Amino acid sequence: MERDIYQRLVAWKQSKLRKPLILRGARQVGKTYSLLTFAAREYSDFIHLNFDEEPTLIEFFALDLNPERILKDLTTHFRKPIHPGLTLIILDEIQLCPNALNSLKYFCEKKNEYHIVAAGSLLGVKLAKGFPVGKVNFLDMTPLTFFEFLNAIGESSLLERLKELVAPNPILNPFHEKLIKLLRYYFIIGGMPEAIATYLKTDSLIDVRMIQKEILDAYTLDFAKHAPKNELMKIMGVWEMKKCTRSRL
């Protein structure tokens, strides 16, 4: 799925004020997919460290936070050179490796010619200790907007007509009725990529609802993992209340 965040990633790469980037967002909004697509299209090569899938990668940031040493070790591990400006370094699920998060400060100060993007869950990154204040750029990623949704379901021509619309000129009634129908579907399916992909594959709102429930359950586990113990019961109580409200709707 083409995402609007892509052009913002390109702008970050080209910026003269570029620093290591942190892409923040809720789980499963498409951060990893967008970064891998960006890396494949805009760079000669990339390395991808996912601290959730490969916890042993955390050890590369355990000895010290010296960027030169880290780059040398990563080059050896991935068996490929890391070139400044040509190789994108992706640090995925960075909230699981606080030292990697802290290392961005030193990459900014000593090795800013290297392009580094970190992705992490919004909650996990927010609660991380020793945050590299002033040494990173930020981008926030959300679920698909209605415009992105139209593009994802193959309504790109209708999307272009909608973008060309200038107030107060009215939209033709056939287009208006179709957009209202699609907006209703967007309200039901939502903007999570997996939910949209499931609908396109199965054409079943029941299947979509199952995916939505799985995502909500994953969020519940994420709250339990990251929230402070003294706030956990309060957060979980509010979350369960909201889930019950959504179920009734």
Side-chain angles (χ1 to χ4, degrees):
M1 297 179 186
E2 292 294 327
R3 301 299 304 272
D4 292 345
I5 197 75
Y6 188 90
Q7 294 305 319
R8 298 173 68 188
L9 290 169
V10 172
W12 166 80
K13 178 188 178 185
Q14 298 172 348
S15 174
K16 294 180 179 179
L17 303 178
R18 178 190 49 76
K19 302 175 184 178
L21 175 67
I22 296 179
L23 181 62
R24 301 177 298 189
R27 287 192 177 278
Q28 301 186 53
V29 296
K31 298 186 297 296
T32 299
Y33 174 85
S34 296
L35 289 180
L36 292 176
T37 301
F38 170 61
R41 292 180 182 176
E42 304 296 334
Y43 288 85
S44 300
D45 201 0
F46 66 91
I47 62 172
H48 179 211
L49 291 78
N50 189 313
F51 297 113
D52 186 29
E53 293 181 355
E54 296 184 69
T56 56
L57 295 174
I58 294 174
E59 296 179 21
F60 287 107
F61 299 86
L63 295 175
D64 56 56
L65 301 182
N66 182 351
E68 189 170 342
R69 194 274 306 164
I70 294 171
L71 289 167
K72 185 176 180 180
D73 287 348
L74 292 177
T75 296
T76 302
H77 177 73
F78 286 97
R79 294 183 292 181
K80 62 171 68 176
I82 302 175
H83 299 293
L86 298 177
T87 305
L88 181 64
I89 303 171
I90 303 174
L91 305 178
D92 210 347
E93 301 291 354
I94 197 171
Q95 75 279 356
L96 299 177
C97 184
N99 281 346
L101 186 61
N102 293 339
S103 75
L104 299 182
K105 171 185 176 181
Y106 301 101
F107 273 100
C108 177
E109 293 175 345
K110 301 177 181 181
K111 293 288 183 180
N112 199 44
E113 66 271 23
Y114 288 87
H115 291 207
I116 302 178
V117 177
S121 70
L122 192 60
L123 180 60
V125 171
K126 183 177 181 180
L127 295 174
K129 297 180 179 179
F131 200 83
V133 179
K135 303 298 181 179
V136 294
N137 299 133
F138 290 102
L139 282 177
D140 291 316
M141 190 169 185
T142 65
L144 277 75
T145 64
F146 180 56
F147 279 18
E148 289 177 301
F149 175 79
L150 289 177
N151 194 49
I153 63 174
E155 294 290 350
S156 56
S157 59
L158 185 60
L159 172 60
E160 291 305 314
R161 292 298 299 270
L162 192 59
K163 288 181 177 179
E164 294 170 359
L165 189 64
V166 178
N169 296 332
I171 189 170
L172 294 177
N173 193 55
F175 295 149
H176 179 263
E177 291 181 356
K178 187 172 184 178
L179 283 168
I180 291 298
K181 178 182 178 181
L182 292 174
L183 184 60
R184 291 195 186 102
Y185 273 98
Y186 176 67
F187 287 155
I188 296 170
I189 298 169
M192 299 302 279
E194 188 178 5
I196 297 172
T198 298
Y199 178 72
L200 291 174
K201 183 178 181 178
T202 69
D203 195 28
S204 169
L205 293 178
I206 295 176
D207 290 340
V208 168
R209 184 56 182 161
M210 290 176 59
I211 295 299
Q212 291 171 336
K213 184 179 183 304
E214 290 175 359
I215 293 173
L216 290 174
D217 289 343
Y219 281 178
T220 301
L221 294 175
D222 210 32
F223 290 151
K225 183 189 303 181
H226 295 294
K229 291 182 179 179
N230 61 329
E231 295 288 335
L232 182 58
M233 295 306 296
K234 179 180 178 181
I235 293 173
M236 294 300 292
V238 173
W239 179 247
E240 290 298 330
M241 187 180 298
K242 289 184 177 181
K243 286 174 64 177
C244 290
T245 302
R246 291 191 187 96
S247 297
R248 288 195 295 270
L249 292 176

